[in-house]
Structures are given as structure tokens and as C-alpha cells.
Amino acid sequence: MRYLSRQRSNAAITTCVAGLLSLATFPLAAVQAQDDPFKQFPLVIQCKHNETYHTFYLSRISQDGTATYQASERIAGTITLDGKAKAIGDEGGGTCVGKTLAELRASHQAYDLKR
């Protein structure tokens, strides 16, 4: 009886591992086929709001190409590759709002990750 139980356990583990491997290879292939979004967006954007300088760190990049940046005071903003920076919520409206990524880089407010 122990032998049969051990065979069932081994079969279940093998099936589980095979299923996980097949799931893991699908997203990996999809990621490799796309450009690395972290090469397209700056890691840090610096803005001035109400006489205070804030450092916004790249928090996430959604599937539609919108990058979200967040500062330590729960202040955040978004930008796309071809759009302009926008503040999230009521806070914001500093020196970054309305600028494109090219403008932020030209004004030395955007800092890219150097590899």
C-alpha cells in the first residue's frame, strides 16, 4: 500500500512540475519578443512642487505603455513614450507636468539607468 501511495505522489508531483514548466515558458517567450520597457523609460524623474524638490521613482509600466512614477510622500504621476507627464490625484502640478520624456531629459530632470 505504501508503494502505491508513493507512486501516486510521484506522479502527482511530476504532473504538477510539468504543468508549471509549460506555464512558465509561455510568458518568458512573450517577454523576450518585446523590447525591454526599462530601457525606454528613465529610472528617476526629479520635479519641483511648492518650493520642494521631489524624486519620483519608476514604479510600474502597464501593458498599454503608461509608466507610473511615485515619490515618497504618496505623490505620483504618469507618462507615456509619446505623451506628456500628468499628476495623479490632487497633489502635483510641479515642474514636470505637461513635459514629454524628451523635454524632461533635455532639462536634466530625467535620469536613465546606465548598464
Side-chain angles (χ1 to χ4, degrees):
M1 194 147 153
R2 258 190 187 166
Y3 179 71
L4 186 56
S5 176
R6 198 174 287 164
Q7 279 183 324
R8 286 183 186 160
S9 293
N10 287 343
I13 290 171
T14 302
T15 302
C16 182
V17 169
L20 289 174
L21 286 175
S22 67
L23 288 174
T25 56
F26 174 73
L28 186 60
V31 169
Q32 289 175 349
Q34 298 174 358
D35 291 334
D36 183 3
F38 291 102
K39 290 182 181 177
Q40 298 172 340
F41 289 98
L43 181 64
V44 174
I45 296 177
Q46 176 189 351
C47 307
K48 185 177 178 183
H49 176 64
N50 290 339
E51 301 303 316
T52 302
Y53 289 95
H54 299 275
T55 302
F56 291 82
Y57 296 94
L58 180 60
S59 175
R60 69 176 179 217
I61 303 171
S62 62
Q63 284 187 326
D64 69 353
T66 302
T68 302
Y69 288 84
Q70 189 169 358
S72 59
E73 288 85 22
R74 305 183 100 190
I75 301 171
T78 61
I79 195 165
T80 59
L81 289 175
D82 58 354
K84 296 184 179 204
K86 299 175 187 172
I88 295 176
D90 296 333
E91 284 292 319
T95 59
C96 292
V97 172
K99 290 186 179 179
T100 64
L101 284 176
E103 292 169 329
L104 290 168
R105 286 182 171 115
S107 64
H108 303 287
Q109 290 178 269
Y111 300 92
D112 293 294
L113 178 63
K114 306 281 185 200
R115 292 182 188 202

